[in-house]
Amino acid sequence: QKEVEQDPGPLSVPEGAIVSLNCTYSNSAFQYFMWYRQYSRKGPELLMYTYSSGNKEDGRFTAQVDKSSKYISLFIRDSQPSDSATYLCAMSDPGGATNKLIFGTGTLLAVQP
Amino acid sequence: EPEVTQTPSHQVTQMGQEVILRCVPISNHLYFYWYRQILGQKVEFLVSFYNNEISEKSEIFDDQFSVERPDGSNFTLKIRSTKLEDSAMYFCASSEWGRTDTQYFGPGTRLTVL
């Protein structure tokens, strides 16, 4: 079983739609969960950061963590064409000295105007 | 807003040649990382660096790779003898003291080995 699994998409939605992006993971020791946004041929940009279970909201973005199910989600409300990008979930591995990040494969999102 | 910068943006090299990829982390950050992303694949951890030494490295980071902080601002990744399979985007990241879970990435260097 892979450590982090993410549906690669692509996911195409109309402008204004609510988008739900998801990841599952296998290592119950993960406690820090991140969502990064990556535009084509650019570096990952940190969007949301969540510790342990619960919800966190930032503008149109909501990150949700359910540790009991080993499942995390990112919701985007009122999606815009500028949200079109690849969304990467990442978890920090507490087993090492510097919390290396374990990434999902990324979900490619296209928001159609 | 402070950001991680990387140079060059694109490097083309011949197989067997040495390359040095350069990064300037965010100025008050103390932890530095290199990740790579082969086209169409996941972002993968290579190495982390703290207090002028390697903290952790992956299986990918073999003897062909080395890292250095030659001065107070730069952080470099050297590949001694490049292989075709080293072709990838290489990302530098940094994090501040006590926040190694929150890493900020640079724009990447695209390495093409011919």
Side-chain angles (χ1 to χ4, degrees):
Chain A
Q1 184 182 10
K2 293 179 183 175
E3 276 198 294
V4 179
E5 300 213 45
Q6 184 175 8
D7 185 342
L11 183 61
S12 182
V13 301
E15 184 175 353
I18 296 174
V19 176
S20 171
L21 304 166
N22 311 293
C23 284
T24 59
Y25 62 95
S26 58
N27 188 343
S28 57
F30 289 155
Q31 293 199 70
Y32 294 92
F33 306 92
M34 279 66 68
W35 285 95
Y36 284 84
R37 178 173 60 195
Q38 186 178 27
Y39 293 110
S40 182
R41 295 190 180 274
K42 300 294 184 185
E45 172 196 4
L46 182 62
L47 264 184
M48 300 284 287
Y49 158 85
T50 312
Y51 171 70
S52 195
S53 282
N55 290 359
K56 185 174 183 178
E57 190 173 314
D58 184 1
R60 295 185 295 110
F61 298 89
T62 299
Q64 196 172 76
V65 175
D66 181 350
K67 289 194 71 182
S68 62
S69 303
K70 298 194 184 73
Y71 189 86
I72 69 170
S73 301
L74 177 71
F75 299 97
I76 307 174
R77 289 184 299 281
D78 187 25
S79 55
Q80 303 295 309
S82 58
D83 295 328
S84 299
T86 297
Y87 289 81
L88 308 170
C89 64
M91 294 152 204
S92 70
D93 182 353
T98 49
N99 288 331
K100 69 182 185 217
L101 297 182
I102 310 295
F103 282 88
T105 52
T107 299
L108 179 60
L109 171 67
V111 181
Q112 307 298 335
Chain B
E1 187 174 323
E3 57 184 18
V4 176
T5 60
Q6 291 186 243
T7 54
S9 57
H10 188 195
Q11 174 93 49
V12 181
T13 190
Q14 296 290 325
M15 191 169 56
Q17 295 296 303
E18 174 182 288
V19 294
I20 297 176
L21 310 182
R22 301 179 193 281
C23 167
V24 178
I26 294 173
S27 63
N28 64 335
H29 286 189
L30 299 177
Y31 296 87
F32 314 117
Y33 309 81
W34 285 100
Y35 291 80
R36 81 170 184 192
Q37 185 177 32
I38 295 171
L39 188 63
Q41 297 187 25
K42 288 185 181 187
V43 176
E44 303 174 286
F45 169 79
L46 290 178
V47 66
S48 60
F49 190 86
Y50 169 71
N51 200 25
N52 282 321
E53 60 183 26
I54 290 174
S55 294
E56 195 176 356
K57 60 183 181 179
S58 72
E59 292 175 355
I60 304 166
F61 194 88
D62 61 21
D63 292 343
Q64 293 299 312
F65 292 89
S66 62
V67 289
E68 191 178 34
R69 187 150 164 87
D71 54 43
S73 58
N74 290 284
F75 179 51
T76 61
L77 174 69
K78 182 193 289 186
I79 309 175
R80 286 191 185 80
S81 178
T82 49
K83 307 183 189 73
L84 295 176
E85 55 265 36
D86 294 328
S87 295
M89 283 289 284
Y90 287 80
F91 296 109
C92 175
S94 68
S95 63
E96 58 184 307
W97 169 256
R99 296 299 307 272
T100 53
D101 43 279
T102 309
Q103 298 173 23
Y104 295 88
F105 283 72
T109 293
R110 181 153 63 101
L111 176 65
T112 302
V113 182
L114 302 175

